[in-house]
Amino acid sequence: MTVFKLTLTTLLVSTVVTGSAGAAAPAEAQWSWPLSPKPSVLRTFDPPDKPWLSGHRGVDLGPTHDGAPVTAPSDGVVTFSGLVVDRPVLAIEQGNGLKSSFEPVTSELKTGDAVRKGQVIGTLEPGHCSSATCLHWGVRRGEDYVNPLGFVSDMRPSILLPLH
């Protein structure tokens, strides 16, 4: 029985640490929220079953106000700052194959600029959520989108231990 519990615990912890398209981030990768105070989640992560299908490849945070400061959730390097279609987007490479994108965010930062966790990286513009000003935050690990909330929330499973 103890072997089964240990195996189940190992499986649960392994699932959280290794992750998948919808899984949590590694426990050691604790980031900060890109908006302050801690925002509400207006729309959750809902990745498509196939890369070409529609889905929600990030989370919408808010509501907040136009011009709200957006901060870097972790240290990184800017890999893109500009318009995508008609919306200002900022992308930051955080290392270990992780890249965050923020929209609609205007920024004075340029590709190659280093950023520190908590540093203001830009200002929030209207235009993403129809009913409120919100921030769309996406995170990719390589080519796979992952749930950004796993980097700022404690998503580890509860583990019951024996009393004796």
Side-chain angles (χ1 to χ4, degrees):
M1 187 108 166
T2 302
V3 174
F4 175 75
K5 286 182 183 176
L6 183 59
T7 303
L8 179 59
T9 300
T10 304
L11 175 64
L12 290 172
V13 172
S14 175
T15 301
V16 171
V17 172
T18 58
S20 66
E28 69 272 11
Q30 214 39 237
W31 293 359
S32 62
W33 289 92
L35 294 174
S36 183
K38 179 182 172 181
S40 297
V41 177
L42 302 178
R43 187 170 175 199
T44 60
F45 181 70
D46 184 22
D49 292 333
K50 304 283 186 198
W52 59 86
L53 295 174
S54 64
H56 196 239
R57 294 167 174 85
V59 294
D60 292 343
L61 305 175
T64 188
H65 59 87
D66 298 358
V70 178
T71 58
S74 71
D75 295 349
V77 176
V78 174
T79 58
F80 180 82
S81 180
L83 291 178
V84 174
V85 184
D86 61 347
R87 194 170 291 160
V89 175
L90 183 70
I92 298 174
E93 175 76 43
Q94 276 98 4
N96 296 323
L98 295 169
K99 183 184 284 188
S100 289
S101 60
F102 308 89
E103 63 176 272
V105 173
T106 57
S107 179
E108 298 295 319
L109 295 171
K110 306 285 184 243
T111 299
D113 286 348
V115 298
R116 304 291 296 171
K117 179 179 178 178
Q119 173 186 339
V120 173
I121 56 174
T123 56
L124 187 60
E125 299 294 326
H128 182 67
C129 293
S130 59
S131 62
T133 299
C134 75
L135 173 69
H136 177 83
W137 178 27
V139 176
R140 287 189 339 203
R141 179 179 286 120
E143 296 301 314
D144 297 323
Y145 284 89
V146 295
N147 188 349
L149 299 181
F151 293 88
V152 291
S153 302
D154 186 0
M155 304 275 293
R156 294 173 291 176
S158 296
I159 299 171
L160 299 177
L161 300 174
L163 293 175
H164 295 60

